Amino acid sequence: MTLASDTTLDDFLGGRLTLEQPSTGYRAGVDPVLLAAAVPATAGQSVLELGCGTGAAMLCLAARVPGLTLTGVEVQDRYADLCRANAARNEIAADIHTADLRAMPTEIRGQSFDHVIMNPPYFDPATGNPSAARDKDTAFRGDTDLRDWVDQAARRLRHKGHLTLIQKAHRLADVLAAMDDRMGSIVVTPIAGRTRYDADRVLVRARKGGRAAFRLTAPVVLHTGSAHTKDREDYRPEIAAILRNGAAFPNIG
């Protein structure tokens, strides 16, 4: 495939995946890879990603768990097109819809899924200043309330299906407030850059119809040491295994 003049081709999972992304604006990094590693999917199950972007999370998940049925929804035309191209480039079957999640396509409204995954915008659209790059602003702030994201996930999940999401730690209260009585068995895993650092992100997993008690797991620490002291990668071995080899998160419930 020929690359556009304003995109780059980037390796993920140690080169197991290659993704075409815009040179500027929103670019997938570590977070969607961590999200994919937290999804408890097994072969033969169905996965819906809300806000799939260029496909990093769903394609990383597919690289770890073969035999999934993948569906994505992305509001931005260009990113949806890149997601389709990236799925084809990596020979992974995926059905990608260009749509606002608040106006879900008829084909998706008629389905239920074993898993819904998402990396919703990190900042409240009612606060802060918009980015000059419209696509980046949509990815990081958007104009869709977190309650709408969780509501659509709950609508699309089959009974006992899992919702898995990654979000900024300061918005955990918003995520939990968006969980209504359809969603239970909530597990929150804080993610910190280093020991003695506050958590910056959280992984949240919930189950439709779940009744287990709320769990707050031990934090996941990404890097060794308490500070970055050398110009080299210093991910903890279990995190390096996720980022380079597509491993699953160990022991997060």
Side-chain angles (χ1 to χ4, degrees), residues 81-93:
D81 288 342
L82 285 170
C83 187
R84 294 183 189 99
N86 285 330
R89 174 178 285 106
N90 291 281
E91 299 182 340
I92 296 172

Side-chain angles (χ1 to χ4, degrees), residues 90-213:
N90 291 281
E91 299 182 340
I92 296 172
D95 184 19
I96 309 302
H97 298 260
T98 306
D100 189 314
L101 64 86
R102 294 166 296 187
M104 201 69 76
T106 302
E107 307 95 295
I108 295 179
R109 291 203 304 269
Q111 298 181 60
S112 59
F113 297 84
D114 297 299
H115 299 273
V116 174
I117 67 174
M118 59 191 189
N119 181 9
Y122 283 157
F123 302 103
D124 187 333
T127 63
N129 297 316
S131 170
R134 185 175 179 181
D135 62 340
K136 191 173 184 178
D137 190 62
T138 298
F140 283 109
R141 290 185 351 121
D143 63 357
T144 305
D145 191 274
L146 262 175
R147 291 181 184 274
D148 292 319
W149 286 81
V150 174
D151 174 66
Q152 285 300 325
R155 289 173 182 270
R156 302 281 68 83
L157 281 168
R158 58 174 43 105
H159 184 61
K160 298 299 184 181
H162 286 93
L163 164 63
T164 308
L165 65 90
I166 190 168
Q167 181 57 271
K168 282 281 195 179
H170 76 269
R171 297 208 69 193
L172 176 58
D174 297 329
V175 173
L176 296 179
M179 299 282 184
D180 58 28
D181 58 6
R182 292 172 292 179
M183 304 301 298
S185 303
I186 298 170
V187 180
V188 175
T189 300
I191 301 175
R194 296 183 185 278
T195 55
R196 293 185 287 182
Y197 281 30
D198 287 347
D200 177 60
R201 285 160 172 72
V202 288
L203 283 163
V204 181
R205 185 188 294 167
R207 199 166 193 184
K208 187 171 182 177
R211 294 293 179 264

